[in-house]
Amino acid sequence: IEQPTFPKITEMCVKMIRRVNDEEGIKKLVNETFQKLWFTPTPHHDKEAMTRKILNITDVVAACRDTGYDWFEQLLQNLLKSEEDASYKPVKKACTQLVDNLVEHILKYEESLSDSDNKGVNSGRLVACITTLFLFSKIRPQLMVKHAMTMQPYLTTKCSTQNDFMVICNVAKILELVVPLMEHPSETFLATIEEDLMKLIIKYGMTVVQHCVSCLGAVVNKVTQNYKFVWACFNRYYGALSKLKNQHQEDPNSTILTANKPALLRSLFTVGALCRHFDFDQEDFKGNSKVNIKDKVLELLMYFTKHSDEEVQTKAIIGLGFAFIQHPSLMFEQEVKTLYNSILSDKNCSVNLKIQVLKNLQTYLQEEDTRMQQADRDWKKVAKQEDLKEMGDISSGMSSSIMQLYLKQVLEAFFHNQSSVRHFALNVIALTLNQGLIHPVQCVPYLIAMGTDPEPSMRNKADQQLVEIDKKYAGFIHMKAVAGMKMSYQVQQAINTCPKDPVRGFRHDESSSALCSHLYSMIRGNRQHRRAFLISLLNLFDDTAKTEVNMLLYIADNLACFPYQTQEEPLFIMHHIDITLSVSGSNLLQSFKESMVKDKKKDRKPSSEEETESESNSGSGSESEAEASKPRRLRKRVDSDSDSDEENDINAVMKCLPENSAPLIEFANVSQGILLLLMLKQHLKNLCGFSDSKIQKYSPSESAKVYDKAINRKTGVHFHPKQTLDFLRSDMANSKITEEVKRSIVKQYLDFKLLMEHLDPDEEEEDGEVSASTNARNKAITSLLGGGSPKNNAAETEDDESDGEDRGGGTSGVRRR
């Protein structure tokens, strides 16, 4: 306003205007700024200011050509709505001025062009002016009524560049909105429009055909009722299609068909487009003929969806999509259901066909939405006289049934490796949810999964849907959270370009945030939900859950990188890791001992008391501390008393190994879950800087306030479970086992045994002194997690040990190949 000639104005406007849908404060600011800048009436004599304003608006419109114009429509609607009931309407006045001057500007611009040599060159400026006029007509078509005659000649623009096509399409869109509002338009004007549109339909490509048929629909259906004209055009293309179909049936490989392919493609598209805007089963079109046109069209288009050429298939599907907008009931036909569902669910089907089917559903839902909004507006006008009971909304029932048919296949399209397929699937689901056509709970796990998509725009859209669902239906997100995590792993597997590399659960950027961090941040506010969610995730690591190792790695990654805020959150996880370790760890050692060959190993099963204790522990995760640690001490005693020295010797254990190496592989496989938990505990301990005694003293039953302090995160602490990564990369579960590998597994077993014996720090530790038991435990952990060899670690204390882990030089591990 102060410096109208500043060169960066356009860029500034673009950035501001995009915030038009932000929270209320910002929205208000944006509206006020642009009301001042653009939508305040300009004094009539100040031509220069008016021109500047027009150039500024059209520059901004041109700059947003690729990102869409929703913001402009939103802004105009907000401003016009705000003054609906006012007596003085400055915005309306400003809009009228702007539209009149834009039209004047275009005419002047044309004159200047005809004077100069480069005739017929439609520049970006003209396109921007006409696009701006279209945006005004979309919100307030009345503004353009007096200019309709001026716009009509632009339909005859000679098309050579992209800009020319843009001009034609936008003019067609303007006329479509404006002509039905004109009072007594002249016959010649209407006839000229009809002819111009028809010429364009016959001559040009898809986009032009689409907009011109749409415009023709408005002119013929609402104003001229010149049905014969349209019927002749329809018959021309329909006849051509029937003829081509017959030729194809006689000889699918005939050369005539190859020569006629462009005609075939055009006919498929145009017949569909005409069926979208005209109902040819009305008497006005077909007279007294008894033929059912829509079924004939369906049969023809369906025939070409089975064509061998993918381009023909795609056009036939586009045509079908158009026809379904006029006659949605056709989507219930068995052959249509089979076609759509097979394209969506078939792994080998071409990506283009999948995308086209999703686009068809998307366009259908968008049209339904527009129609319902229109019906809503019409209803408001007459609502006072009408009886509410009479207002039945059959159409939303129809679209709801249609979406129920295809919902599962659309959701499954989220697991496609092409982002464009996922993109359209997400659009369809978002439209379906916004219109309330299905119960949202079935979409929640899929939306959680899409929240891990590598593309930010898709993540944000999925997250936005979850937030909306959470507002309306509290508890749904929590209910499906674990299922969503598992599904997000499947999405990541599908996207993973290098199958050799294990799927990880955090973003590979500087933030290294968890892929499911948005999900966690939605759940963490409710303590009960958060704990239940974390326990469910930790239960997957239980040896009885039989979760695949890569999924455990994915979940451990997420648990390591979730956006924890208070100390309670990681402490709660560590507390439960200890419980799981004590139960699963002893089960694991037990089954390994039982598989050994010597008879005397078989006799030593845990006492029945210990067994029941373990079961009750794995069953419920919230027993008090004392009970949780009782079986460990019990076990420590049982194990230590009966273990003979020979078993601690690697060679001795090697001799006891059975011929069949399956139990060994099983041990290596199941132990990954326990190793990951150990790693996770170490990682959280290092990340948050907790001491062992703090972890030990924590009790989940204490009041929430005690651990409500914020976490001080250490920087540069990364979660890198080397052993599990090696295990997955070497595909050990399916590879042949060598002596070397056997030795390393036995070594791991012995470290494990040592760890289980010293799992509890001794209660009577003196301050500042590290007891023998802690030392032994640290040695075992360092050794298991791939630190230095145990003899160097003899005197290692807590702090050194975490360094040892960070260094991660894995000499002993599952795989020292």
Side-chain angles (χ1 to χ4, degrees), residues 461-477:
K461 191 163 191 169
D463 291 349
Q464 181 91 38
Q465 292 296 324
L466 284 173
V467 171
E468 291 298 316
I469 292 174
D470 197 40
K471 271 186 209 157
K472 290 184 195 149
Y473 310 92
F476 271 12
I477 310 294

mmCIF file with all atom_site columns, all heavy atoms in Angstrom, residues 461-477:
data_model
loop_
_atom_site.group_PDB
_atom_site.id
_atom_site.type_symbol
_atom_site.label_atom_id
_atom_site.label_alt_id
_atom_site.label_comp_id
_atom_site.label_asym_id
_atom_site.label_entity_id
_atom_site.label_seq_id
_atom_site.pdbx_PDB_ins_code
_atom_site.Cartn_x
_atom_site.Cartn_y
_atom_site.Cartn_z
_atom_site.occupancy
_atom_site.B_iso_or_equiv
_atom_site.pdbx_formal_charge
_atom_site.auth_seq_id
_atom_site.auth_comp_id
_atom_site.auth_asym_id
_atom_site.auth_atom_id
_atom_site.pdbx_PDB_model_num
ATOM 1   N N   . LYS A 1 461 ? -2.011  -34.631 5.345  1.00 0.00 ? 461 LYS A N   1
ATOM 2   C CA  . LYS A 1 461 ? -3.425  -34.853 5.050  1.00 0.00 ? 461 LYS A CA  1
ATOM 3   C C   . LYS A 1 461 ? -3.982  -35.994 5.915  1.00 0.00 ? 461 LYS A C   1
ATOM 4   O O   . LYS A 1 461 ? -5.075  -35.887 6.474  1.00 0.00 ? 461 LYS A O   1
ATOM 5   C CB  . LYS A 1 461 ? -3.585  -35.189 3.565  1.00 0.00 ? 461 LYS A CB  1
ATOM 6   C CG  . LYS A 1 461 ? -5.009  -35.179 3.114  1.00 0.00 ? 461 LYS A CG  1
ATOM 7   C CD  . LYS A 1 461 ? -5.113  -35.110 1.599  1.00 0.00 ? 461 LYS A CD  1
ATOM 8   C CE  . LYS A 1 461 ? -6.548  -34.837 1.204  1.00 0.00 ? 461 LYS A CE  1
ATOM 9   N NZ  . LYS A 1 461 ? -6.710  -34.501 -0.181 1.00 0.00 ? 461 LYS A NZ  1
ATOM 10  N N   . ALA A 1 462 ? -3.188  -37.072 6.027  1.00 0.00 ? 462 ALA A N   1
ATOM 11  C CA  . ALA A 1 462 ? -3.642  -38.210 6.842  1.00 0.00 ? 462 ALA A CA  1
ATOM 12  C C   . ALA A 1 462 ? -3.748  -37.786 8.313  1.00 0.00 ? 462 ALA A C   1
ATOM 13  O O   . ALA A 1 462 ? -4.730  -38.108 8.999  1.00 0.00 ? 462 ALA A O   1
ATOM 14  C CB  . ALA A 1 462 ? -2.670  -39.375 6.692  1.00 0.00 ? 462 ALA A CB  1
ATOM 15  N N   . ASP A 1 463 ? -2.733  -37.046 8.792  1.00 0.00 ? 463 ASP A N   1
ATOM 16  C CA  . ASP A 1 463 ? -2.747  -36.604 10.193 1.00 0.00 ? 463 ASP A CA  1
ATOM 17  C C   . ASP A 1 463 ? -3.961  -35.700 10.464 1.00 0.00 ? 463 ASP A C   1
ATOM 18  O O   . ASP A 1 463 ? -4.608  -35.802 11.501 1.00 0.00 ? 463 ASP A O   1
ATOM 19  C CB  . ASP A 1 463 ? -1.449  -35.852 10.528 1.00 0.00 ? 463 ASP A CB  1
ATOM 20  C CG  . ASP A 1 463 ? -0.251  -36.799 10.546 1.00 0.00 ? 463 ASP A CG  1
ATOM 21  O OD1 . ASP A 1 463 ? -0.473  -38.026 10.511 1.00 0.00 ? 463 ASP A OD1 1
ATOM 22  O OD2 . ASP A 1 463 ? 0.907   -36.323 10.571 1.00 0.00 ? 463 ASP A OD2 1
ATOM 23  N N   . GLN A 1 464 ? -4.236  -34.834 9.494  1.00 0.00 ? 464 GLN A N   1
ATOM 24  C CA  . GLN A 1 464 ? -5.379  -33.920 9.622  1.00 0.00 ? 464 GLN A CA  1
ATOM 25  C C   . GLN A 1 464 ? -6.680  -34.711 9.787  1.00 0.00 ? 464 GLN A C   1
ATOM 26  O O   . GLN A 1 464 ? -7.510  -34.408 10.638 1.00 0.00 ? 464 GLN A O   1
ATOM 27  C CB  . GLN A 1 464 ? -5.450  -33.103 8.317  1.00 0.00 ? 464 GLN A CB  1
ATOM 28  C CG  . GLN A 1 464 ? -6.563  -32.096 8.284  1.00 0.00 ? 464 GLN A CG  1
ATOM 29  C CD  . GLN A 1 464 ? -6.087  -30.754 8.801  1.00 0.00 ? 464 GLN A CD  1
ATOM 30  O OE1 . GLN A 1 464 ? -4.975  -30.353 8.532  1.00 0.00 ? 464 GLN A OE1 1
ATOM 31  N NE2 . GLN A 1 464 ? -6.907  -30.090 9.582  1.00 0.00 ? 464 GLN A NE2 1
ATOM 32  N N   . GLN A 1 465 ? -6.838  -35.769 8.979  1.00 0.00 ? 465 GLN A N   1
ATOM 33  C CA  . GLN A 1 465 ? -8.048  -36.602 9.071  1.00 0.00 ? 465 GLN A CA  1
ATOM 34  C C   . GLN A 1 465 ? -8.146  -37.232 10.462 1.00 0.00 ? 465 GLN A C   1
ATOM 35  O O   . GLN A 1 465 ? -9.225  -37.298 11.045 1.00 0.00 ? 465 GLN A O   1
ATOM 36  C CB  . GLN A 1 465 ? -8.024  -37.717 8.010  1.00 0.00 ? 465 GLN A CB  1
ATOM 37  C CG  . GLN A 1 465 ? -8.151  -37.242 6.575  1.00 0.00 ? 465 GLN A CG  1
ATOM 38  C CD  . GLN A 1 465 ? -9.490  -36.572 6.305  1.00 0.00 ? 465 GLN A CD  1
ATOM 39  O OE1 . GLN A 1 465 ? -10.521 -36.962 6.824  1.00 0.00 ? 465 GLN A OE1 1
ATOM 40  N NE2 . GLN A 1 465 ? -9.469  -35.527 5.507  1.00 0.00 ? 465 GLN A NE2 1
ATOM 41  N N   . LEU A 1 466 ? -6.998  -37.702 10.975 1.00 0.00 ? 466 LEU A N   1
ATOM 42  C CA  . LEU A 1 466 ? -7.004  -38.328 12.310 1.00 0.00 ? 466 LEU A CA  1
ATOM 43  C C   . LEU A 1 466 ? -7.431  -37.320 13.371 1.00 0.00 ? 466 LEU A C   1
ATOM 44  O O   . LEU A 1 466 ? -8.190  -37.645 14.287 1.00 0.00 ? 466 LEU A O   1
ATOM 45  C CB  . LEU A 1 466 ? -5.611  -38.878 12.647 1.00 0.00 ? 466 LEU A CB  1
ATOM 46  C CG  . LEU A 1 466 ? -5.229  -40.180 11.940 1.00 0.00 ? 466 LEU A CG  1
ATOM 47  C CD1 . LEU A 1 466 ? -3.773  -40.524 12.220 1.00 0.00 ? 466 LEU A CD1 1
ATOM 48  C CD2 . LEU A 1 466 ? -6.115  -41.337 12.382 1.00 0.00 ? 466 LEU A CD2 1
ATOM 49  N N   . VAL A 1 467 ? -6.924  -36.083 13.242 1.00 0.00 ? 467 VAL A N   1
ATOM 50  C CA  . VAL A 1 467 ? -7.277  -35.055 14.230 1.00 0.00 ? 467 VAL A CA  1
ATOM 51  C C   . VAL A 1 467 ? -8.795  -34.813 14.193 1.00 0.00 ? 467 VAL A C   1
ATOM 52  O O   . VAL A 1 467 ? -9.456  -34.724 15.234 1.00 0.00 ? 467 VAL A O   1
ATOM 53  C CB  . VAL A 1 467 ? -6.497  -33.750 13.941 1.00 0.00 ? 467 VAL A CB  1
ATOM 54  C CG1 . VAL A 1 467 ? -7.005  -32.618 14.809 1.00 0.00 ? 467 VAL A CG1 1
ATOM 55  C CG2 . VAL A 1 467 ? -5.008  -33.968 14.190 1.00 0.00 ? 467 VAL A CG2 1
ATOM 56  N N   . GLU A 1 468 ? -9.349  -34.741 12.968 1.00 0.00 ? 468 GLU A N   1
ATOM 57  C CA  . GLU A 1 468 ? -10.800 -34.532 12.823 1.00 0.00 ? 468 GLU A CA  1
ATOM 58  C C   . GLU A 1 468 ? -11.580 -35.677 13.494 1.00 0.00 ? 468 GLU A C   1
ATOM 59  O O   . GLU A 1 468 ? -12.542 -35.449 14.219 1.00 0.00 ? 468 GLU A O   1
ATOM 60  C CB  . GLU A 1 468 ? -11.197 -34.497 11.336 1.00 0.00 ? 468 GLU A CB  1
ATOM 61  C CG  . GLU A 1 468 ? -10.700 -33.275 10.582 1.00 0.00 ? 468 GLU A CG  1
ATOM 62  C CD  . GLU A 1 468 ? -11.269 -31.977 11.125 1.00 0.00 ? 468 GLU A CD  1
ATOM 63  O OE1 . GLU A 1 468 ? -12.480 -31.935 11.399 1.00 0.00 ? 468 GLU A OE1 1
ATOM 64  O OE2 . GLU A 1 468 ? -10.487 -31.018 11.321 1.00 0.00 ? 468 GLU A OE2 1
ATOM 65  N N   . ILE A 1 469 ? -11.129 -36.916 13.228 1.00 0.00 ? 469 ILE A N   1
ATOM 66  C CA  . ILE A 1 469 ? -11.833 -38.080 13.805 1.00 0.00 ? 469 ILE A CA  1
ATOM 67  C C   . ILE A 1 469 ? -11.736 -38.027 15.326 1.00 0.00 ? 469 ILE A C   1
ATOM 68  O O   . ILE A 1 469 ? -12.706 -38.291 16.041 1.00 0.00 ? 469 ILE A O   1
ATOM 69  C CB  . ILE A 1 469 ? -11.230 -39.399 13.264 1.00 0.00 ? 469 ILE A CB  1
ATOM 70  C CG1 . ILE A 1 469 ? -11.542 -39.533 11.766 1.00 0.00 ? 469 ILE A CG1 1
ATOM 71  C CG2 . ILE A 1 469 ? -11.779 -40.610 14.012 1.00 0.00 ? 469 ILE A CG2 1
ATOM 72  C CD1 . ILE A 1 469 ? -10.879 -40.720 11.093 1.00 0.00 ? 469 ILE A CD1 1
ATOM 73  N N   . ASP A 1 470 ? -10.547 -37.652 15.823 1.00 0.00 ? 470 ASP A N   1
ATOM 74  C CA  . ASP A 1 470 ? -10.330 -37.628 17.268 1.00 0.00 ? 470 ASP A CA  1
ATOM 75  C C   . ASP A 1 470 ? -11.247 -36.596 17.938 1.00 0.00 ? 470 ASP A C   1
ATOM 76  O O   . ASP A 1 470 ? -11.726 -36.804 19.049 1.00 0.00 ? 470 ASP A O   1
ATOM 77  C CB  . ASP A 1 470 ? -8.858  -37.316 17.559 1.00 0.00 ? 470 ASP A CB  1
ATOM 78  C CG  . ASP A 1 470 ? -8.492  -37.679 18.985 1.00 0.00 ? 470 ASP A CG  1
ATOM 79  O OD1 . ASP A 1 470 ? -8.965  -38.730 19.468 1.00 0.00 ? 470 ASP A OD1 1
ATOM 80  O OD2 . ASP A 1 470 ? -7.741  -36.918 19.628 1.00 0.00 ? 470 ASP A OD2 1
ATOM 81  N N   . LYS A 1 471 ? -11.479 -35.469 17.238 1.00 0.00 ? 471 LYS A N   1
ATOM 82  C CA  . LYS A 1 471 ? -12.358 -34.440 17.803 1.00 0.00 ? 471 LYS A CA  1
ATOM 83  C C   . LYS A 1 471 ? -13.772 -34.986 17.967 1.00 0.00 ? 471 LYS A C   1
ATOM 84  O O   . LYS A 1 471 ? -14.427 -34.777 18.974 1.00 0.00 ? 471 LYS A O   1
ATOM 85  C CB  . LYS A 1 471 ? -12.421 -33.236 16.843 1.00 0.00 ? 471 LYS A CB  1
ATOM 86  C CG  . LYS A 1 471 ? -11.360 -32.187 17.089 1.00 0.00 ? 471 LYS A CG  1
ATOM 87  C CD  . LYS A 1 471 ? -11.633 -30.990 16.178 1.00 0.00 ? 471 LYS A CD  1
ATOM 88  C CE  . LYS A 1 471 ? -10.340 -30.273 15.820 1.00 0.00 ? 471 LYS A CE  1
ATOM 89  N NZ  . LYS A 1 471 ? -10.470 -29.507 14.577 1.00 0.00 ? 471 LYS A NZ  1
ATOM 90  N N   . LYS A 1 472 ? -14.232 -35.707 16.918 1.00 0.00 ? 472 LYS A N   1
ATOM 91  C CA  . LYS A 1 472 ? -15.629 -36.156 16.936 1.00 0.00 ? 472 LYS A CA  1
ATOM 92  C C   . LYS A 1 472 ? -15.820 -37.403 17.777 1.00 0.00 ? 472 LYS A C   1
ATOM 93  O O   . LYS A 1 472 ? -16.826 -37.579 18.440 1.00 0.00 ? 472 LYS A O   1
ATOM 94  C CB  . LYS A 1 472 ? -16.103 -36.444 15.511 1.00 0.00 ? 472 LYS A CB  1
ATOM 95  C CG  . LYS A 1 472 ? -16.269 -35.199 14.674 1.00 0.00 ? 472 LYS A CG  1
ATOM 96  C CD  . LYS A 1 472 ? -16.836 -35.560 13.302 1.00 0.00 ? 472 LYS A CD  1
ATOM 97  C CE  . LYS A 1 472 ? -16.664 -34.396 12.340 1.00 0.00 ? 472 LYS A CE  1
ATOM 98  N NZ  . LYS A 1 472 ? -16.488 -34.809 10.970 1.00 0.00 ? 472 LYS A NZ  1
ATOM 99  N N   . TYR A 1 473 ? -14.846 -38.324 17.702 1.00 0.00 ? 473 TYR A N   1
ATOM 100 C CA  . TYR A 1 473 ? -15.017 -39.621 18.383 1.00 0.00 ? 473 TYR A CA  1
ATOM 101 C C   . TYR A 1 473 ? -13.798 -39.884 19.260 1.00 0.00 ? 473 TYR A C   1
ATOM 102 O O   . TYR A 1 473 ? -12.835 -40.479 18.786 1.00 0.00 ? 473 TYR A O   1
ATOM 103 C CB  . TYR A 1 473 ? -15.128 -40.760 17.361 1.00 0.00 ? 473 TYR A CB  1
ATOM 104 C CG  . TYR A 1 473 ? -16.118 -40.524 16.258 1.00 0.00 ? 473 TYR A CG  1
ATOM 105 C CD1 . TYR A 1 473 ? -15.726 -39.940 15.060 1.00 0.00 ? 473 TYR A CD1 1
ATOM 106 C CD2 . TYR A 1 473 ? -17.450 -40.906 16.395 1.00 0.00 ? 473 TYR A CD2 1
ATOM 107 C CE1 . TYR A 1 473 ? -16.633 -39.718 14.036 1.00 0.00 ? 473 TYR A CE1 1
ATOM 108 C CE2 . TYR A 1 473 ? -18.368 -40.690 15.377 1.00 0.00 ? 473 TYR A CE2 1
ATOM 109 C CZ  . TYR A 1 473 ? -17.946 -40.096 14.198 1.00 0.00 ? 473 TYR A CZ  1
ATOM 110 O OH  . TYR A 1 473 ? -18.843 -39.891 13.194 1.00 0.00 ? 473 TYR A OH  1
ATOM 111 N N   . ALA A 1 474 ? -13.855 -39.429 20.505 1.00 0.00 ? 474 ALA A N   1
ATOM 112 C CA  . ALA A 1 474 ? -12.702 -39.622 21.375 1.00 0.00 ? 474 ALA A CA  1
ATOM 113 C C   . ALA A 1 474 ? -12.492 -41.120 21.602 1.00 0.00 ? 474 ALA A C   1
ATOM 114 O O   . ALA A 1 474 ? -13.449 -41.881 21.726 1.00 0.00 ? 474 ALA A O   1
ATOM 115 C CB  . ALA A 1 474 ? -12.946 -38.921 22.697 1.00 0.00 ? 474 ALA A CB  1
ATOM 116 N N   . GLY A 1 475 ? -11.225 -41.535 21.634 1.00 0.00 ? 475 GLY A N   1
ATOM 117 C CA  . GLY A 1 475 ? -10.935 -42.936 21.960 1.00 0.00 ? 475 GLY A CA  1
ATOM 118 C C   . GLY A 1 475 ? -10.767 -43.843 20.747 1.00 0.00 ? 475 GLY A C   1
ATOM 119 O O   . GLY A 1 475 ? -10.208 -44.916 20.861 1.00 0.00 ? 475 GLY A O   1
ATOM 120 N N   . PHE A 1 476 ? -11.231 -43.384 19.565 1.00 0.00 ? 476 PHE A N   1
ATOM 121 C CA  . PHE A 1 476 ? -11.080 -44.232 18.370 1.00 0.00 ? 476 PHE A CA  1
ATOM 122 C C   . PHE A 1 476 ? -9.612  -44.436 18.014 1.00 0.00 ? 476 PHE A C   1
ATOM 123 O O   . PHE A 1 476 ? -9.205  -45.517 17.627 1.00 0.00 ? 476 PHE A O   1
ATOM 124 C CB  . PHE A 1 476 ? -11.772 -43.578 17.161 1.00 0.00 ? 476 PHE A CB  1
ATOM 125 C CG  . PHE A 1 476 ? -13.218 -43.975 17.043 1.00 0.00 ? 476 PHE A CG  1
ATOM 126 C CD1 . PHE A 1 476 ? -13.852 -44.634 18.087 1.00 0.00 ? 476 PHE A CD1 1
ATOM 127 C CD2 . PHE A 1 476 ? -13.932 -43.696 15.891 1.00 0.00 ? 476 PHE A CD2 1
ATOM 128 C CE1 . PHE A 1 476 ? -15.185 -45.004 17.981 1.00 0.00 ? 476 PHE A CE1 1
ATOM 129 C CE2 . PHE A 1 476 ? -15.258 -44.058 15.780 1.00 0.00 ? 476 PHE A CE2 1
ATOM 130 C CZ  . PHE A 1 476 ? -15.891 -44.712 16.826 1.00 0.00 ? 476 PHE A CZ  1
ATOM 131 N N   . ILE A 1 477 ? -8.852  -43.352 18.128 1.00 0.00 ? 477 ILE A N   1
ATOM 132 C CA  . ILE A 1 477 ? -7.451  -43.424 17.708 1.00 0.00 ? 477 ILE A CA  1
ATOM 133 C C   . ILE A 1 477 ? -6.711  -44.417 18.590 1.00 0.00 ? 477 ILE A C   1
ATOM 134 O O   . ILE A 1 477 ? -6.007  -45.303 18.117 1.00 0.00 ? 477 ILE A O   1
ATOM 135 C CB  . ILE A 1 477 ? -6.770  -42.034 17.797 1.00 0.00 ? 477 ILE A CB  1
ATOM 136 C CG1 . ILE A 1 477 ? -7.609  -40.965 17.097 1.00 0.00 ? 477 ILE A CG1 1
ATOM 137 C CG2 . ILE A 1 477 ? -5.354  -42.077 17.242 1.00 0.00 ? 477 ILE A CG2 1
ATOM 138 C CD1 . ILE A 1 477 ? -7.754  -41.112 15.617 1.00 0.00 ? 477 ILE A CD1 1
#
